[in-house]
Amino acid sequence: MSSISMSEYAQRRQQLMERMTPNSIAIVPAAAVSTRNSSVEYPYRQHSDFFYLSGFAEPEAVLVLIPKREHGEYVVFCRERNPERELWDGLRAGQEGVIANYLADDAFPISDIDDILPGLLEGRERVYYSIGNNPEFDQHMMDWLNSIRSKARMGAQPPKEFVMLDPLLHDARLHKSPAEIATMQRAADISCRAHIRAMQASQPGLYEYHLEAELDYEFRKGGARLAAYSSIVASGSNACILHYTENNAPLHDGDLVLIDAGCEIDCYASDITRTFPVNGRFSPEQKAIYEIVLKANLEAMHYISPKHCWNDAHDATVRVITAGLLELGLLQGELDELIASDAYRPFYMHRAGHWLGLDVHDVGDYKVNGEWRALKPGMTMTVEPGIYIAVDNLTVPQQWRGIGVRIEDDVVVTADGCQVLTRAVPKSIDEIEALMAAAQSSGV
Ligand code: GLY
Ligand code: MN
Ligand code: MN
């Protein structure tokens, strides 16, 4: 069961139904099961929209909301209880369980959906459904629609409009409740411990996957079943490959290692990056680049509050990074002109962050009516500036090439600023070197 209360899920459904137009219906399918090979499946992860509205983690389910329906507004189709299948694959809630434990008003076997759903769709003015997420389900929707059309001469009325559910639902998902933030803090705390453990374990001669194993150990020990995304453990110039996930290179003395990893708890993500020296001591060049990225990370935090818009933090990181590269002589020119001409882009080619929540790159619009969105308490995002100097960047002296640094934290907007959920993992050079030296001397 999810750590978010069933009454909170009920409030979310209520809030959504209040925003739906009269005589409408919303339909949200569970995530499809994916095959890994022959009879082996990928670990099942519920679709975030479905989970947001239900807290129900089983596959082969469909959630239906029909405001003001006499026989119940919240209808769930799910697998039937089946002692033999449950013996092999695990327990199922069944229709009774979904009503008793997940507060559904009405529940039907998923195997009956072709007979029942067309009747629920028939005569509705509007259907809220996010087309394009699940092609197989899209096809079912068309089949149900056609089955109503085929009965038109008998008086059946197909729905008049299909509307994407995303704007209503994703706007709600963008604003996190205290219970959601508490869950995200739990995920962040486990991930902080994982990063600390990886720093403590690092030494030349190991491989990137040894550090990945330390991360996985803390994730599982903390109760997280899955990482929120594939962990990146990138040593040396691998750090300049933004989504490097091979994690199989040796850790060389004198190199940095960039780890971008976070677990999920109850489907809520954490997303942390730290960069540290394999041997525990930064070289002068590594230190110089690191200090710029750290300054950008800290500066961005001053631009995350209800007084600011989404893009302010990004702009702050661009200014700090461009000024820093200019000071080191890695860029030449005048600061404002370098910013205006995007001269920093070969070194800093991504945004300073993204919304964070049930999805690691969470839903919610970044612009509203063409303007960057104003931040509001409860919005949760990452702050992740970086500098990456490609090995083949011949515009800079050789000693700088192959250095990649990113520092990423998870942040929630508060009434008067922001709170960093990932503060438990060190990020200053002194703290990192001290932590790694203590681990080396104690033989951790
Ligand atoms: N780990 C994915 C990201 O940082 O956006
Ligand atoms: Mn991120
Ligand atoms: Mn990340």
Side-chain angles (χ1 to χ4, degrees), residues 82 162 203 246 269 272 290 307 393:
N82 178 328
F162 272 70
Q203 52 175 293
E246 278 123 318
I272 304 179
Y290 190 93
K307 291 200 193 89
N393 184 339

Side-chain angles (χ1 to χ4, degrees), residues 351-370:
R351 305 282 311 172
H354 48 81
W355 304 130
L356 183 73
L358 287 168
D359 292 343
V360 65
H361 293 164
D362 207 26
V363 294
D365 291 332
Y366 291 94
K367 279 191 168 179
V368 177
N369 298 326

Side-chain angles (χ1 to χ4, degrees), residues 17 20-26 65-67 124-128:
M17 286 195 281
M20 291 166 61
T21 51
N23 193 24
S24 61
I25 181 170
L65 295 176
I66 313 170
R124 304 282 162 209
E125 290 293 320
R126 175 178 280 191
V127 181
Y128 292 91

Side-chain angles (χ1 to χ4, degrees), residues 233-263:
V233 182
S235 62
S237 61
N238 292 335
C240 300
I241 304 168
L242 295 179
H243 288 161
Y244 175 84
T245 51
E246 278 123 318
N247 301 352
N248 58 4
L251 301 176
H252 292 301
D253 203 4
D255 277 351
L256 293 176
V257 54
L258 179 158
I259 296 186
D260 183 346
C263 67

